[in-house]
Amino acid sequence: MTVDFFERHRELLDRAVRASATREYWSPYPESPSPRNYGETAGEAGRAAFEALRGGDFPMQVAGADRMAGGERSPFGFDLHITYPRLSPQAAVAASARALAGWRRAGPRAWVGVSLEILQRLNRASFEIAHAVQHTTGQGYLMAFQAGGPHAQDRGLEAVAYAWQEMARIPEQIVWEKPQGKQDPVRMEKHYTVVPRGVALVIGCSTFPTWNGYPGLFASLATGNTVIVKPHPTAILPLAITVRIAREVLGEAGYDPDVVLLVPHAAGDETAQALATHPQVKIVDFTGSKANGEWLEQHARQAQVYTEKSGVNTVIVDSVDDLKAAARNLAFSLTLYSGQMCTAPQNIYVPRDGIRTAQGHASFDEVADAIAAALQAMTADEAKAADLLGGIQSEATLARIEEARGLGMPELAQSRAITHPQFDGARIRTPLLLRAQAGHPAIAREWFGPVAFVVETDSTAHSIGLARDSAHENGALTLSAYTTDAQVARAVRDAAEDAGVSLSLNLTGGIFVNQSAAFSDFHGTGANPAANASLCDSAYVANRFRVVQARWHI
Amino acid sequence: MTVDFFERHRELLDRAVRASATREYWSPYPESPSPRNYGETAGEAGRAAFEALRGGDFPMQVAGADRMAGGERSPFGFDLHITYPRLSPQAAVAASARALAGWRRAGPRAWVGVSLEILQRLNRASFEIAHAVQHTTGQGYLMAFQAGGPHAQDRGLEAVAYAWQEMARIPEQIVWEKPQGKQDPVRMEKHYTVVPRGVALVIGCSTFPTWNGYPGLFASLATGNTVIVKPHPTAILPLAITVRIAREVLGEAGYDPDVVLLVPHAAGDETAQALATHPQVKIVDFTGSKANGEWLEQHARQAQVYTEKSGVNTVIVDSVDDLKAAARNLAFSLTLYSGQMCTAPQNIYVPRDGIRTAQGHASFDEVADAIAAALQAMTADEAKAADLLGGIQSEATLARIEEARGLGMPELAQSRAITHPQFDGARIRTPLLLRAQAGHPAIAREWFGPVAFVVETDSTAHSIGLARDSAHENGALTLSAYTTDAQVARAVRDAAEDAGVSLSLNLTGGIFVNQSAAFSDFHGTGANPAANASLCDSAYVANRFRVVQARWHI
């Protein structure tokens, strides 16, 4: 390639590899959109870039593609009116397979160098991507910037770091010398070549298209696979911008831009299925529903399938120092992006007889009321609430709130409609908080969106057992617990280790259970039904490439 | 534990980790049975230990087990008459799951320490195991010692080294400190706990029960899983001795011996299926037939499944310096253990118009005759031939020779019965070498055992294409090529990388295509249908454990 992207980013790569080993705080991509980080004009330029895309043909040339209307509509109340170049699944796989031969031969340094350059350019495009994420997912602007931009880039970089680490440990060439007693040793030259699995597919989700899409995209690309990105029909734009940038870098580096392809499609058609089961597709990364994830695990048998599906995240309330602070932290987790996060809590277990607090005993009702009051306080100012809640991404989530109300459970906090100060048609709702009995079948499923339950249990031991069994059976990405008792904490940790779920203890400050930080927090464990992989670890990258050796006598 | 096995073997472990990184020659377990390596009495003691096992109850106490007659018969012509303790699949999984809770909490150092102590004791038992391997698999004694003893132990140690490497990179505990501008940083303590997947199953094969069984056994055990070993009904004894030793070490270290269990069973029953699809079985390692391997991949959906199935290994003959030396090397690979190796070559592609040699042109017939003559020379001395060929392990393999003769292809070398100087009833046959046309459907399948084909092709380019396509379609663990032309060598390497098959070039000396050395040679690539995994790499171990984290504010 004309520019050695690998050397350009070598230091960044080494730093990322180190960070993933120490797991200490680190990020090269500033999470604050401040002009001090991104320059005085970046914010406005990003906004303008987004506005320029609206109502037009998305600027990307793909040989053999026709155009399709994207049909995306902002949860803040307007249509994007963007058309995208489209290839059929068959044509896309054929183009990807054609690009594979040259990409395979480029080798690990080129794969990683190109990946790192793409990430740097994505970082520069963070404002454009922020608007695209906001107006497809419904995230508030600041969250769309952070989660859709730098935090997503962190997760992509993390995947590249793991990929490099695993590939770099394979020596390219060695001399093997086996002693033969008094005779001359046998001497062989051995060469080890890292080869990709083939064509990889990334199936994007509607709520975090970049954050959930980048790990698979970069893990596959950095290990020499070509990648087809199939966005969710309601959230094409953030991944279209991503693919546009990837293709620019590939072209500049002298590779076929078709190494990364976008395959947009209309809702309800069979594009995902056709791509995922294509014999030449060898890797599938998926984030989405349990039903679709399980379908892939069952049917995409020719591929390595990495899925993040639904789960039921739980909270165990045993005892607290400061009930209000705990309730505020929980309320924030329920409110942020209207709970449309795979990590948001849903079932909050509280013993029927109440809990200990530093201020004395608190009854079940007092605990439930504290959470409801914190929700109320957090959404009292409509303008601030609108930013925090964001828009409801899909009609299905809106309908789910009504379905939950129909369960007939007592409403601890009602779901209210909120008006956005800037966007008239925005679809915004505060969280619905219901009171439930342990064992009610409705709480054993995921209620994706702003629906949560305060659940009466017999005791903390009962709560722990319920949390463990629910994670085993229904899956869970997060478990949160509040306890001031070291023995209870130990029992909760043991249950978490048994059920394979990440645990956050006693969060009362500025860290929330639904947040996970790249390089430090594993997102998902792969050890319960919520996900079959973790972001990011060796297992996530090591099977995306294989090693072919050649040996001969010297 | 009373003895710190981890510290005892720490240096060995570090050396093994280093060897798997440099991939240079290394082994801590001497492959020569010489008294200089194992002591003057070890050979005789091992023989005596084997003889003492014959005709009796295998000495292993398993709670709740009844006794079953093993029914093993030596391919050298006598019954072993050993009975084994037997648990039902349900009882075995229940016992394994009970043992799991304590083993999970023991942690990586204990898992690895116990694994290394087991390996050391297996090494001391190499002579006993050699006899057990010889008289179940039919391998000649020296091969049974090497492949069944030290080489198998090498592969087990390699798996432990990879497992340790992957687990050791996860810090147990860190402080995470995120800057907050002018405010105090957020500080959290994070703990990362390595947890096993659960109960692991190792399905043993009939020809290399220890060599193919140890990688999965030790990869699972060293990552905290409990292990059920289900031997092939015709080769129970080598794995029974292995499990006996593992249970001794576990007991001494203060763990439940049921962490490793043997589940012998009669041929044709449903034990393997019941175990492999049990909901609590989370890992399956399998070596065996294509049909059984594919059944597992399809049905054991609750588990990580690692399979080594059948393949069709090919040889490309383009040009040679020394035809006789090449033919001798090939003939040895066909003769060793009667080709009952997953790495033995089967289809030897030779251009119809012949090849270039340093001595001038050699016609197709001259090449085929050279291989046949080398086979003849290698088996002329019956006593030596008997040691090299070993016994035919199964009636099915014997029948396969007859089936191949029935194909009606010209016989370049006939399959002859050989008399063993020591064992009257030994079932020994020399390899059958047939002349085939490219494209004959019969050569697209594996003929496990002493059957090979010299295949007429249009040209070397044709041979390369056939080898590549055959590996893609039928799978292959090895590809061997003979060429003096650098361009042809490059084309063969590209085809090998495309088809994901290990390549050996111009073997004419004391290294054979069917041999692979632990720490240096990857056995299988996982990139074609012959195997979905490689022995041994990060991907082989990294998904056998998961990490569960817990975090809280400091």
mmCIF file of all heavy atoms in Angstrom, chain A residues 105 165-166 169 190 297 301 494 503-504 520-522 525 538 546 549 551, chain B residues 105 165-166 169 190 192 297 301 494 503-504 521-522 525 538 546 549 551:
data_model
loop_
_atom_site.group_PDB
_atom_site.id
_atom_site.type_symbol
_atom_site.label_atom_id
_atom_site.label_comp_id
_atom_site.label_asym_id
_atom_site.label_seq_id
_atom_site.Cartn_x
_atom_site.Cartn_y
_atom_site.Cartn_z
ATOM 1 N N ARG A 105 -4.348 -12.111 0.870
ATOM 2 C CA ARG A 105 -2.900 -12.084 0.666
ATOM 3 C C ARG A 105 -2.236 -10.858 1.280
ATOM 4 O O ARG A 105 -1.022 -10.807 1.432
ATOM 5 C CB ARG A 105 -2.575 -12.138 -0.836
ATOM 6 C CG ARG A 105 -2.954 -13.464 -1.478
ATOM 7 C CD ARG A 105 -2.387 -13.617 -2.886
ATOM 8 N NE ARG A 105 -2.909 -14.836 -3.499
ATOM 9 C CZ ARG A 105 -3.973 -14.881 -4.306
ATOM 10 N NH1 ARG A 105 -4.621 -13.769 -4.611
ATOM 11 N NH2 ARG A 105 -4.370 -16.024 -4.814
ATOM 12 N N GLN A 165 -3.142 -9.002 18.730
ATOM 13 C CA GLN A 165 -2.445 -9.766 19.745
ATOM 14 C C GLN A 165 -2.436 -11.252 19.405
ATOM 15 O O GLN A 165 -1.420 -11.931 19.519
ATOM 16 C CB GLN A 165 -3.157 -9.538 21.072
ATOM 17 C CG GLN A 165 -2.486 -10.171 22.237
ATOM 18 C CD GLN A 165 -3.085 -9.658 23.535
ATOM 19 O OE1 GLN A 165 -2.399 -9.094 24.360
ATOM 20 N NE2 GLN A 165 -4.365 -9.838 23.705
ATOM 21 N N GLU A 166 -3.590 -11.770 18.970
ATOM 22 C CA GLU A 166 -3.668 -13.198 18.666
ATOM 23 C C GLU A 166 -2.890 -13.550 17.401
ATOM 24 O O GLU A 166 -2.270 -14.599 17.327
ATOM 25 C CB GLU A 166 -5.129 -13.644 18.526
ATOM 26 C CG GLU A 166 -5.873 -13.705 19.843
ATOM 27 C CD GLU A 166 -5.238 -14.643 20.865
ATOM 28 O OE1 GLU A 166 -4.626 -15.646 20.463
ATOM 29 O OE2 GLU A 166 -5.329 -14.356 22.071
ATOM 30 N N ARG A 169 1.113 -13.404 17.762
ATOM 31 C CA ARG A 169 1.822 -14.458 18.478
ATOM 32 C C ARG A 169 2.170 -15.640 17.592
ATOM 33 O O ARG A 169 2.869 -16.553 18.015
ATOM 34 C CB ARG A 169 1.001 -14.935 19.671
ATOM 35 C CG ARG A 169 -0.218 -15.696 19.278
ATOM 36 C CD ARG A 169 -0.738 -16.502 20.426
ATOM 37 N NE ARG A 169 -1.023 -15.638 21.563
ATOM 38 C CZ ARG A 169 -1.635 -16.061 22.664
ATOM 39 N NH1 ARG A 169 -1.981 -17.327 22.757
ATOM 40 N NH2 ARG A 169 -1.902 -15.240 23.635
ATOM 41 N N LYS A 190 9.767 -23.771 8.771
ATOM 42 C CA LYS A 190 8.315 -23.816 8.831
ATOM 43 C C LYS A 190 7.760 -22.404 8.685
ATOM 44 O O LYS A 190 8.267 -21.478 9.314
ATOM 45 C CB LYS A 190 7.849 -24.423 10.163
ATOM 46 C CG LYS A 190 8.314 -25.861 10.376
ATOM 47 C CD LYS A 190 7.668 -26.494 11.599
ATOM 48 C CE LYS A 190 8.201 -27.920 11.796
ATOM 49 N NZ LYS A 190 7.518 -28.625 12.897
ATOM 50 N N GLU A 297 -28.401 -19.116 15.095
ATOM 51 C CA GLU A 297 -27.619 -20.196 15.708
ATOM 52 C C GLU A 297 -28.050 -21.555 15.162
ATOM 53 O O GLU A 297 -27.237 -22.462 15.006
ATOM 54 C CB GLU A 297 -27.772 -20.158 17.232
ATOM 55 C CG GLU A 297 -27.075 -18.947 17.868
ATOM 56 C CD GLU A 297 -27.477 -18.718 19.329
ATOM 57 O OE1 GLU A 297 -28.294 -19.494 19.860
ATOM 58 O OE2 GLU A 297 -26.986 -17.760 19.928
ATOM 59 N N ARG A 301 -25.370 -22.689 9.940
ATOM 60 C CA ARG A 301 -24.464 -23.724 10.443
ATOM 61 C C ARG A 301 -23.122 -23.720 9.747
ATOM 62 O O ARG A 301 -22.168 -24.341 10.201
ATOM 63 C CB ARG A 301 -25.126 -25.099 10.296
ATOM 64 C CG ARG A 301 -26.554 -25.165 10.865
ATOM 65 C CD ARG A 301 -26.557 -24.766 12.343
ATOM 66 N NE ARG A 301 -25.495 -25.461 13.034
ATOM 67 C CZ ARG A 301 -25.563 -26.711 13.397
ATOM 68 N NH1 ARG A 301 -26.648 -27.405 13.146
ATOM 69 N NH2 ARG A 301 -24.566 -27.275 14.022
ATOM 70 N N ASP A 494 -21.105 -15.298 44.120
ATOM 71 C CA ASP A 494 -21.097 -16.710 43.752
ATOM 72 C C ASP A 494 -22.241 -17.028 42.779
ATOM 73 O O ASP A 494 -22.053 -17.766 41.808
ATOM 74 C CB ASP A 494 -21.200 -17.594 44.998
ATOM 75 C CG ASP A 494 -20.810 -19.025 44.686
ATOM 76 O OD1 ASP A 494 -19.637 -19.258 44.351
ATOM 77 O OD2 ASP A 494 -21.700 -19.906 44.727
ATOM 78 N N LEU A 503 -21.549 -8.384 37.482
ATOM 79 C CA LEU A 503 -22.167 -7.853 38.692
ATOM 80 C C LEU A 503 -21.660 -6.441 38.972
ATOM 81 O O LEU A 503 -20.460 -6.173 38.904
ATOM 82 C CB LEU A 503 -21.815 -8.771 39.874
ATOM 83 C CG LEU A 503 -22.209 -8.291 41.266
ATOM 84 C CD1 LEU A 503 -23.729 -8.190 41.406
ATOM 85 C CD2 LEU A 503 -21.641 -9.237 42.332
ATOM 86 N N SER A 504 -22.592 -5.535 39.281
ATOM 87 C CA SER A 504 -22.249 -4.217 39.808
ATOM 88 C C SER A 504 -22.812 -4.127 41.213
ATOM 89 O O SER A 504 -23.993 -4.411 41.419
ATOM 90 C CB SER A 504 -22.840 -3.103 38.939
ATOM 91 O OG SER A 504 -22.305 -3.150 37.637
ATOM 92 N N SER A 520 -11.962 -2.398 29.652
ATOM 93 C CA SER A 520 -12.030 -2.749 31.071
ATOM 94 C C SER A 520 -13.197 -3.682 31.370
ATOM 95 O O SER A 520 -13.013 -4.747 31.951
ATOM 96 C CB SER A 520 -12.139 -1.480 31.915
ATOM 97 O OG SER A 520 -12.134 -1.807 33.289
ATOM 98 N N ASP A 521 -14.412 -3.291 30.968
ATOM 99 C CA ASP A 521 -15.581 -4.118 31.248
ATOM 100 C C ASP A 521 -15.831 -5.091 30.103
ATOM 101 O O ASP A 521 -15.906 -4.680 28.940
ATOM 102 C CB ASP A 521 -16.829 -3.236 31.418
ATOM 103 C CG ASP A 521 -16.752 -2.380 32.677
ATOM 104 O OD1 ASP A 521 -16.259 -2.883 33.699
ATOM 105 O OD2 ASP A 521 -17.175 -1.209 32.624
ATOM 106 N N PHE A 522 -15.994 -6.357 30.451
ATOM 107 C CA PHE A 522 -16.469 -7.305 29.456
ATOM 108 C C PHE A 522 -17.971 -7.081 29.287
ATOM 109 O O PHE A 522 -18.720 -7.079 30.262
ATOM 110 C CB PHE A 522 -16.218 -8.747 29.917
ATOM 111 C CG PHE A 522 -14.768 -9.130 29.946
ATOM 112 C CD1 PHE A 522 -14.083 -9.246 31.148
ATOM 113 C CD2 PHE A 522 -14.078 -9.366 28.774
ATOM 114 C CE1 PHE A 522 -12.738 -9.611 31.175
ATOM 115 C CE2 PHE A 522 -12.731 -9.726 28.788
ATOM 116 C CZ PHE A 522 -12.068 -9.845 29.997
ATOM 117 N N THR A 525 -21.002 -12.165 28.937
ATOM 118 C CA THR A 525 -19.997 -13.174 29.303
ATOM 119 C C THR A 525 -19.967 -14.319 28.304
ATOM 120 O O THR A 525 -18.993 -15.063 28.247
ATOM 121 C CB THR A 525 -20.313 -13.799 30.684
ATOM 122 O OG1 THR A 525 -21.544 -14.515 30.580
ATOM 123 C CG2 THR A 525 -20.415 -12.728 31.765
ATOM 124 N N SER A 538 -10.289 -12.978 23.893
ATOM 125 C CA SER A 538 -9.565 -13.760 22.884
ATOM 126 C C SER A 538 -10.510 -14.642 22.085
ATOM 127 O O SER A 538 -10.346 -14.799 20.877
ATOM 128 C CB SER A 538 -8.526 -14.648 23.559
ATOM 129 O OG SER A 538 -7.584 -13.887 24.231
ATOM 130 N N ARG A 546 -7.506 -18.551 10.767
ATOM 131 C CA ARG A 546 -6.901 -19.872 10.940
ATOM 132 C C ARG A 546 -5.438 -19.747 10.518
ATOM 133 O O ARG A 546 -5.048 -18.758 9.920
ATOM 134 C CB ARG A 546 -7.620 -20.924 10.088
ATOM 135 C CG ARG A 546 -9.124 -21.059 10.377
ATOM 136 C CD ARG A 546 -9.437 -21.899 11.616
ATOM 137 N NE ARG A 546 -9.168 -21.185 12.833
ATOM 138 C CZ ARG A 546 -8.846 -21.784 14.000
ATOM 139 N NH1 ARG A 546 -8.729 -23.093 14.077
ATOM 140 N NH2 ARG A 546 -8.617 -21.085 15.078
ATOM 141 N N GLN A 549 0.120 -23.896 7.718
ATOM 142 C CA GLN A 549 1.571 -23.965 7.762
ATOM 143 C C GLN A 549 2.122 -24.696 6.562
ATOM 144 O O GLN A 549 1.444 -25.506 5.928
ATOM 145 C CB GLN A 549 2.040 -24.620 9.048
ATOM 146 C CG GLN A 549 1.778 -26.111 9.119
ATOM 147 C CD GLN A 549 2.380 -26.712 10.387
ATOM 148 O OE1 GLN A 549 2.082 -26.285 11.489
ATOM 149 N NE2 GLN A 549 3.233 -27.692 10.216
ATOM 150 N N ARG A 551 5.977 -26.587 5.512
ATOM 151 C CA ARG A 551 7.281 -26.958 6.089
ATOM 152 C C ARG A 551 8.093 -27.715 5.059
ATOM 153 O O ARG A 551 7.538 -28.416 4.206
ATOM 154 C CB ARG A 551 7.088 -27.803 7.353
ATOM 155 C CG ARG A 551 6.332 -29.088 7.116
ATOM 156 C CD ARG A 551 6.140 -29.932 8.394
ATOM 157 N NE ARG A 551 5.479 -31.189 8.035
ATOM 158 C CZ ARG A 551 5.235 -32.182 8.874
ATOM 159 N NH1 ARG A 551 5.585 -32.085 10.156
ATOM 160 N NH2 ARG A 551 4.634 -33.289 8.473
ATOM 161 N N ARG B 105 -14.563 -23.265 41.992
ATOM 162 C CA ARG B 105 -14.020 -22.309 42.951
ATOM 163 C C ARG B 105 -12.524 -22.474 43.160
ATOM 164 O O ARG B 105 -11.874 -21.584 43.712
ATOM 165 C CB ARG B 105 -14.746 -22.458 44.294
ATOM 166 C CG ARG B 105 -16.219 -22.055 44.220
ATOM 167 C CD ARG B 105 -16.847 -21.926 45.583
ATOM 168 N NE ARG B 105 -18.285 -21.685 45.473
ATOM 169 C CZ ARG B 105 -19.214 -22.645 45.531
ATOM 170 N NH1 ARG B 105 -18.856 -23.910 45.709
ATOM 171 N NH2 ARG B 105 -20.498 -22.343 45.424
ATOM 172 N N GLN B 165 -2.018 -19.576 29.411
ATOM 173 C CA GLN B 165 -1.699 -18.304 28.779
ATOM 174 C C GLN B 165 -2.932 -17.426 28.646
ATOM 175 O O GLN B 165 -2.905 -16.230 28.931
ATOM 176 C CB GLN B 165 -1.098 -18.580 27.409
ATOM 177 C CG GLN B 165 -0.646 -17.370 26.677
ATOM 178 C CD GLN B 165 0.193 -17.753 25.478
ATOM 179 O OE1 GLN B 165 1.339 -17.375 25.365
ATOM 180 N NE2 GLN B 165 -0.380 -18.532 24.588
ATOM 181 N N GLU B 166 -4.037 -18.026 28.222
ATOM 182 C CA GLU B 166 -5.256 -17.232 28.019
ATOM 183 C C GLU B 166 -5.873 -16.800 29.344
ATOM 184 O O GLU B 166 -6.405 -15.699 29.460
ATOM 185 C CB GLU B 166 -6.283 -18.033 27.204
ATOM 186 C CG GLU B 166 -5.929 -18.177 25.736
ATOM 187 C CD GLU B 166 -5.763 -16.842 25.024
ATOM 188 O OE1 GLU B 166 -6.424 -15.863 25.394
ATOM 189 O OE2 GLU B 166 -4.932 -16.775 24.095
ATOM 190 N N ARG B 169 -3.827 -13.938 31.321
ATOM 191 C CA ARG B 169 -3.873 -12.561 30.848
ATOM 192 C C ARG B 169 -5.060 -11.782 31.416
ATOM 193 O O ARG B 169 -5.170 -10.583 31.201
ATOM 194 C CB ARG B 169 -3.907 -12.529 29.327
ATOM 195 C CG ARG B 169 -5.187 -13.043 28.749
ATOM 196 C CD ARG B 169 -5.374 -12.554 27.348
ATOM 197 N NE ARG B 169 -4.254 -12.997 26.526
ATOM 198 C CZ ARG B 169 -4.229 -12.861 25.212
ATOM 199 N NH1 ARG B 169 -5.233 -12.286 24.602
ATOM 200 N NH2 ARG B 169 -3.200 -13.271 24.512
ATOM 201 N N LYS B 190 -12.381 -3.521 40.354
ATOM 202 C CA LYS B 190 -13.017 -4.523 39.484
ATOM 203 C C LYS B 190 -12.331 -5.858 39.695
ATOM 204 O O LYS B 190 -11.107 -5.933 39.727
ATOM 205 C CB LYS B 190 -12.910 -4.091 38.024
ATOM 206 C CG LYS B 190 -13.608 -2.766 37.722
ATOM 207 C CD LYS B 190 -13.685 -2.485 36.234
ATOM 208 C CE LYS B 190 -14.359 -1.132 35.992
ATOM 209 N NZ LYS B 190 -14.537 -0.849 34.543
ATOM 210 N N TYR B 192 -12.150 -9.861 38.298
ATOM 211 C CA TYR B 192 -12.457 -10.720 37.153
ATOM 212 C C TYR B 192 -12.244 -12.174 37.564
ATOM 213 O O TYR B 192 -11.153 -12.550 37.973
ATOM 214 C CB TYR B 192 -11.540 -10.387 35.977
ATOM 215 C CG TYR B 192 -11.594 -8.928 35.576
ATOM 216 C CD1 TYR B 192 -10.700 -8.006 36.100
ATOM 217 C CD2 TYR B 192 -12.560 -8.464 34.682
ATOM 218 C CE1 TYR B 192 -10.755 -6.660 35.749
ATOM 219 C CE2 TYR B 192 -12.622 -7.127 34.327
ATOM 220 C CZ TYR B 192 -11.715 -6.232 34.859
ATOM 221 O OH TYR B 192 -11.780 -4.904 34.509
ATOM 222 N N GLU B 297 -22.227 -32.044 15.624
ATOM 223 C CA GLU B 297 -22.318 -30.620 15.278
ATOM 224 C C GLU B 297 -23.781 -30.201 15.112
ATOM 225 O O GLU B 297 -24.165 -29.093 15.445
ATOM 226 C CB GLU B 297 -21.516 -30.329 14.002
ATOM 227 C CG GLU B 297 -20.009 -30.429 14.216
ATOM 228 C CD GLU B 297 -19.214 -30.469 12.916
ATOM 229 O OE1 GLU B 297 -19.828 -30.421 11.827
ATOM 230 O OE2 GLU B 297 -17.989 -30.568 12.989
ATOM 231 N N ARG B 301 -26.271 -28.988 20.395
ATOM 232 C CA ARG B 301 -26.356 -27.546 20.211
ATOM 233 C C ARG B 301 -26.141 -26.764 21.500
ATOM 234 O O ARG B 301 -25.931 -25.570 21.494
ATOM 235 C CB ARG B 301 -27.702 -27.172 19.587
ATOM 236 C CG ARG B 301 -28.068 -27.977 18.352
ATOM 237 C CD ARG B 301 -26.987 -27.844 17.304
ATOM 238 N NE ARG B 301 -26.626 -26.456 17.112
ATOM 239 C CZ ARG B 301 -27.345 -25.606 16.442
ATOM 240 N NH1 ARG B 301 -28.451 -26.000 15.870
ATOM 241 N NH2 ARG B 301 -26.966 -24.366 16.320
ATOM 242 N N ASP B 494 -0.332 -21.348 -2.220
ATOM 243 C CA ASP B 494 -1.538 -20.527 -2.316
ATOM 244 C C ASP B 494 -2.791 -21.405 -2.255
ATOM 245 O O ASP B 494 -3.767 -21.065 -1.588
ATOM 246 C CB ASP B 494 -1.521 -19.693 -3.598
ATOM 247 C CG ASP B 494 -2.548 -18.567 -3.526
ATOM 248 O OD1 ASP B 494 -2.362 -17.643 -2.700
ATOM 249 O OD2 ASP B 494 -3.557 -18.641 -4.260
ATOM 250 N N LEU B 503 0.750 -27.930 4.660
ATOM 251 C CA LEU B 503 1.528 -28.387 3.516
ATOM 252 C C LEU B 503 2.905 -28.860 3.956
ATOM 253 O O LEU B 503 3.587 -28.189 4.738
ATOM 254 C CB LEU B 503 1.674 -27.223 2.522
ATOM 255 C CG LEU B 503 2.607 -27.429 1.334
ATOM 256 C CD1 LEU B 503 2.092 -28.553 0.422
ATOM 257 C CD2 LEU B 503 2.763 -26.131 0.553
ATOM 258 N N SER B 504 3.314 -30.030 3.427
ATOM 259 C CA SER B 504 4.691 -30.491 3.585
ATOM 260 C C SER B 504 5.296 -30.570 2.190
ATOM 261 O O SER B 504 4.699 -31.155 1.293
ATOM 262 C CB SER B 504 4.745 -31.872 4.236
ATOM 263 O OG SER B 504 4.232 -31.825 5.544
ATOM 264 N N ASP B 521 3.905 -27.947 15.107
ATOM 265 C CA ASP B 521 2.957 -28.165 14.012
ATOM 266 C C ASP B 521 1.526 -28.030 14.514
ATOM 267 O O ASP B 521 1.143 -28.662 15.503
ATOM 268 C CB ASP B 521 3.133 -29.572 13.436
ATOM 269 C CG ASP B 521 4.461 -29.737 12.727
ATOM 270 O OD1 ASP B 521 4.898 -28.773 12.059
ATOM 271 O OD2 ASP B 521 5.071 -30.812 12.839
ATOM 272 N N PHE B 522 0.730 -27.241 13.817
ATOM 273 C CA PHE B 522 -0.704 -27.226 14.068
ATOM 274 C C PHE B 522 -1.295 -28.484 13.430
ATOM 275 O O PHE B 522 -1.089 -28.742 12.253
ATOM 276 C CB PHE B 522 -1.357 -25.985 13.459
ATOM 277 C CG PHE B 522 -0.980 -24.698 14.128
ATOM 278 C CD1 PHE B 522 -0.096 -23.816 13.538
ATOM 279 C CD2 PHE B 522 -1.504 -24.374 15.371
ATOM 280 C CE1 PHE B 522 0.256 -22.627 14.158
ATOM 281 C CE2 PHE B 522 -1.164 -23.191 15.999
ATOM 282 C CZ PHE B 522 -0.285 -22.308 15.394
ATOM 283 N N THR B 525 -6.410 -27.472 10.650
ATOM 284 C CA THR B 525 -6.485 -26.000 10.638
ATOM 285 C C THR B 525 -7.846 -25.520 11.123
ATOM 286 O O THR B 525 -7.997 -24.361 11.498
ATOM 287 C CB THR B 525 -6.306 -25.438 9.219
ATOM 288 O OG1 THR B 525 -7.414 -25.878 8.419
ATOM 289 C CG2 THR B 525 -4.999 -25.905 8.604
ATOM 290 N N SER B 538 -5.107 -20.689 20.318
ATOM 291 C CA SER B 538 -5.893 -19.941 21.295
ATOM 292 C C SER B 538 -7.375 -20.252 21.165
ATOM 293 O O SER B 538 -8.093 -20.357 22.159
ATOM 294 C CB SER B 538 -5.701 -18.435 21.092
ATOM 295 O OG SER B 538 -4.368 -18.093 21.272
ATOM 296 N N ARG B 546 -15.084 -18.649 30.665
ATOM 297 C CA ARG B 546 -15.677 -17.325 30.505
ATOM 298 C C ARG B 546 -15.180 -16.483 31.678
ATOM 299 O O ARG B 546 -14.641 -17.000 32.643
ATOM 300 C CB ARG B 546 -17.206 -17.402 30.505
ATOM 301 C CG ARG B 546 -17.818 -18.312 29.420
ATOM 302 C CD ARG B 546 -17.844 -17.667 28.033
ATOM 303 N NE ARG B 546 -16.553 -17.580 27.426
ATOM 304 C CZ ARG B 546 -16.205 -16.638 26.527
ATOM 305 N NH1 ARG B 546 -17.023 -15.698 26.151
ATOM 306 N NH2 ARG B 546 -15.019 -16.641 26.003
ATOM 307 N N GLN B 549 -17.236 -10.613 35.826
ATOM 308 C CA GLN B 549 -16.635 -9.522 36.576
ATOM 309 C C GLN B 549 -17.589 -8.980 37.633
ATOM 310 O O GLN B 549 -18.807 -9.124 37.545
ATOM 311 C CB GLN B 549 -16.188 -8.405 35.636
ATOM 312 C CG GLN B 549 -17.321 -7.633 35.016
ATOM 313 C CD GLN B 549 -16.802 -6.458 34.191
ATOM 314 O OE1 GLN B 549 -16.013 -6.637 33.280
ATOM 315 N NE2 GLN B 549 -17.251 -5.261 34.499
ATOM 316 N N ARG B 551 -17.839 -5.279 40.033
ATOM 317 C CA ARG B 551 -17.227 -3.954 40.210
ATOM 318 C C ARG B 551 -17.987 -3.170 41.268
ATOM 319 O O ARG B 551 -19.190 -3.347 41.444
ATOM 320 C CB ARG B 551 -17.207 -3.185 38.884
ATOM 321 C CG ARG B 551 -18.588 -2.967 38.303
ATOM 322 C CD ARG B 551 -18.576 -2.201 36.972
ATOM 323 N NE ARG B 551 -19.959 -1.981 36.538
ATOM 324 C CZ ARG B 551 -20.319 -1.279 35.461
ATOM 325 N NH1 ARG B 551 -19.403 -0.748 34.676
ATOM 326 N NH2 ARG B 551 -21.593 -1.103 35.160
#
